[in-house]
Amino acid sequence: MSDNRDLIGPSLEEQLVSACRTAVGDSLRSITYFTPDAYEQVYLRSDLEADADLAASVEHEAAGFRTQVAYADSELGNYQYTLRVFENGFVTRVIDGERGVFVTTDGITVLRSKEVTEAIRSTLRAGATAD
């Protein structure tokens, strides 16, 4: 998995930031776009340091590509997204085909997590048709 500064186009990047900021507001910490092979952090809140081990986080979240397949025929229905709860924040991961996004936030409700997930998925699909 490699950091790739040109993985996502500027238009899709702006749309993702706008959609996520609208959905979660000032609670948004970061946004990372990724594929099975590469990733790019597209947003980091200005009061945060860029010292996190992003590669390890992306590697873990990329397991979501396998999760989609593993749950394909689940009696629970289609896999939607993953919400991870930590002591000091939250991670919401969305996978759509061969690309994904995860956002980190200070605080988030399940309803707000669903809203940001829908905003991300809609933005990714609109970006795919614009490519």
Side-chain angles (χ1 to χ4, degrees):
M1 183 79 50
S2 65
D3 185 5
N4 185 337
R5 299 284 176 213
D6 297 321
L7 185 62
I8 182 173
S11 176
L12 181 55
E13 182 176 329
E14 289 174 21
Q15 291 170 13
L16 278 171
V17 172
S18 177
C20 292
R21 292 271 306 150
T22 298
V24 297
D26 292 337
S27 177
L28 182 65
R29 296 173 62 91
S30 68
I31 304 169
T32 303
Y33 176 92
F34 62 100
T35 67
D37 302 315
Y39 66 91
E40 180 178 354
Q41 186 170 58
V42 298
Y43 173 82
L44 180 66
R45 197 171 66 200
S46 62
D47 65 323
L48 299 174
E49 297 291 326
D51 61 353
D53 184 2
L54 192 54
S57 295
V58 174
E59 193 74 35
H60 183 73
E61 295 306 331
F65 293 113
R66 292 186 304 279
T67 301
Q68 276 187 187
V69 174
Y71 291 122
D73 295 322
S74 170
E75 68 277 356
L76 298 173
N78 292 330
Y79 169 79
Q80 299 293 308
Y81 66 98
T82 297
L83 173 62
R84 298 184 197 289
V85 181
F86 295 87
E87 182 178 355
N88 296 316
F90 302 82
V91 175
T92 303
R93 177 190 69 207
V94 179
I95 302 285
D96 189 66
E98 289 297 308
R99 55 193 184 163
V101 172
F102 69 87
V103 298
T104 61
T105 57
D106 290 326
I108 198 165
T109 63
V110 172
L111 177 59
R112 187 63 49 108
S113 179
K114 185 173 176 73
E115 289 171 0
V116 75
T117 297
E118 291 169 355
I120 291 168
R121 186 166 285 118
S122 175
T123 302
L124 288 175
R125 290 183 178 163
T129 59
D131 289 344

